[in-house]
Amino acid sequence: MLEYNISKKHYHTLDYYLKTKYQKKVFKVALNASFSCPNRDGSKGINGCAFCSLKGSGDYAGNPNDSLITQFEKVKQVMQKKWHDAYYIAYFQAYSNTYAPLNKLKETFEPFINYDNVIGMSIATRCDCINEENVNYLKELKTHFKEFWVELGLQSAHKKTMNSMNLKYTFSDFKKAVYLLNKANIDVVVHIINGLNESKEKQIQTIQKVSKLPIKGIKIHMLNIIKNTTLANIYKSKPFHILSEDEFIDIVTTQIAYLKDDVIIHRIGADSNSNDLIAPLWVEKKLAIMDKIDNTLNEKMIFQGDLYQK
């Protein structure tokens, strides 16, 4: 049973990990490197995953019309006003950031090697955009940073859900990518989404399955229905059940108990532009929801890993 004492959390937060390791503020700076996606360019599909926004889940990433360094500096200059000696992690967020030839990857990532106060890099991508060639490159790239993660979207471990969300990859594809990255000693952060019209049991099963894989971190999102997405059109024509705030909290706190205790929880919930958000509107009360999650864990004396089984 673990307790992460900076904020009296019952689970292993990214904030705890970074603060205890570096003893100072560490920021992730979301960047848009103008990559594409095999589920958008016609290789596998053209409309993307059903829930994915037009910005490729990079709604808060930088302006793609700016250079990557300009995107980074705009955020850094704001942060430095309050935290003048902070560290930074370059976060390639929008679309699939390994879906390109090696020369494009090198042009994208290498400007941040030895860049002032940049200690890490986080690369978001799809499991079907991971292969031996780019993993070998990422393995070398990692040597230049203190922190280095590849973030892989899974969303659900269930075939029916994956098909309904038009993901165009399988759980087998996901596992193959995780093991390939793990073999190269590259940390994997997995993304899942709660509320994909699944039972509580199925959402717990997804956590149980990923807990058996060699992952280092996880983001537990809540499904957001965003304007101009396939899912928005489906919801408009045939509304389906969206998790209530209480249902989400109940599911998340149970998932935390099933998650192995050394996995870092990078995020709970999701941020969407309020002008584009259709449902659920309660997700905009992010701080209040996080407080309720903490209170529920405290009241029920639930700790991360309590129900984890190898």
Side-chain angles (χ1 to χ4, degrees):
M1 184 171 70
L2 299 176
E3 183 171 2
Y4 299 97
N5 288 313
I6 283 182
S7 303
K8 298 296 182 183
K9 299 284 188 181
H10 285 214
Y11 55 96
H12 195 168
T13 69
L14 179 63
D15 181 64
Y16 174 89
Y17 168 76
L18 293 173
K19 281 183 177 177
T20 54
K21 185 171 182 178
Y22 296 104
Q23 303 297 312
K24 65 169 62 180
K25 194 71 175 177
V26 182
F27 290 101
K28 287 179 72 177
V29 179
L31 304 169
N32 188 333
S34 299
F35 281 88
S36 184
C37 170
N39 204 10
R40 287 182 179 270
D41 69 0
S43 297
K44 289 190 171 183
I46 57 173
N47 294 319
C49 301
F51 49 78
C52 193
S53 71
L54 294 176
K55 294 182 179 179
S57 296
D59 297 74
Y60 288 95
N63 185 340
N65 294 319
D66 292 334
S67 72
L68 289 168
I69 294 299
T70 298
Q71 291 179 41
F72 179 85
E73 284 295 330
K74 283 182 176 180
V75 176
K76 182 179 177 182
Q77 287 169 16
V78 173
M79 297 300 103
Q80 279 186 323
K81 292 177 181 178
K82 187 172 182 180
W83 293 278
H84 66 278
D85 63 342
Y87 286 152
Y88 298 89
I89 293 171
Y91 176 29
F92 294 87
Q93 182 184 34
Y95 300 103
S96 303
N97 291 280
T98 57
Y99 187 52
L102 282 183
N103 64 320
K104 167 69 171 176
L105 301 187
K106 291 178 180 181
E107 291 172 2
T108 300
F109 303 140
E110 292 185 8
F112 291 92
I113 293 175
N114 298 322
Y115 199 84
D116 188 34
N117 281 358
V118 174
I119 61 163
M121 184 169 287
S122 183
I123 300 170
T125 191
R126 287 167 55 100
C127 61
D128 53 1
C129 297
I130 292 293
N131 55 57
E132 289 191 7
E133 182 183 46
N134 58 36
V135 168
N136 286 336
Y137 169 65
L138 295 177
K139 182 179 180 180
E140 190 281 327
L141 182 65
K142 176 189 173 180
T143 63
H144 299 282
F145 298 96
K146 294 179 179 179
E147 302 292 336
F148 193 88
W149 317 315
V150 170
E151 302 193 19
L152 292 180
L154 171 63
Q155 321 317 349
S156 170
H158 301 287
K159 183 178 180 180
K160 182 178 179 180
T161 306
M162 299 175 93
N163 289 339
S164 70
M165 291 296 112
N166 195 44
L167 301 185
K168 302 294 188 181
Y169 53 77
T170 66
F171 188 59
S172 178
D173 295 331
F174 178 80
K175 289 194 295 183
K176 180 180 178 182
V178 170
Y179 282 112
L180 193 58
L181 289 161
N182 181 255
K183 185 178 179 181
N185 200 31
I186 295 172
D187 291 351
V188 174
V189 179
V190 56
H191 292 214
I192 68 168
I193 297 177
N194 286 343
L196 295 173
N197 204 23
E198 295 180 323
S199 66
K200 177 181 177 180
E201 289 70 27
K202 284 189 175 294
Q203 291 168 85
I204 292 168
Q205 287 168 11
T206 292
I207 285 286
Q208 290 175 306
K209 288 184 177 183
V210 299
S211 282
K212 295 183 184 300
L213 299 176
I215 66 169
K216 296 293 186 179
I218 192 167
K219 290 183 176 180
I220 305 175
H221 297 285
M222 169 61 202
L223 177 66
N224 285 190
I225 300 179
I226 306 299
K227 292 178 183 178
N228 301 314
T229 62
T230 300
L231 197 61
N233 294 331
I234 294 171
Y235 186 70
K236 182 178 179 180
S237 62
K238 190 176 181 180
F240 50 87
H241 177 68
I242 301 294
L243 293 181
S244 69
E245 182 179 331
D246 288 341
E247 287 174 317
F248 177 72
I249 291 169
D250 175 55
I251 291 168
V252 165
T253 53
T254 306
Q255 287 174 320
I256 287 172
Y258 281 96
L259 181 68
K260 57 183 176 179
D261 62 22
D262 62 344
V263 174
I264 300 168
I265 299 179
H266 286 231
R267 170 185 285 274
I268 296 176
D271 292 326
S272 296
N273 188 317
S274 59
N275 293 325
D276 296 328
L277 179 65
I278 296 174
L281 298 181
W282 58 259
V283 299
E284 295 186 302
K285 303 181 295 181
K286 183 176 178 180
L287 293 178
I289 293 163
M290 295 307 301
D291 285 342
K292 290 180 181 180
I293 289 171
D294 289 339
N295 290 338
T296 300
L297 293 171
N298 289 332
E299 290 167 4
K300 295 184 177 181
M301 286 303 293
I302 297 171
F303 288 82
Q304 182 178 337
D306 279 352
L307 299 177
Y308 169 69
Q309 293 181 332
K310 293 183 180 180

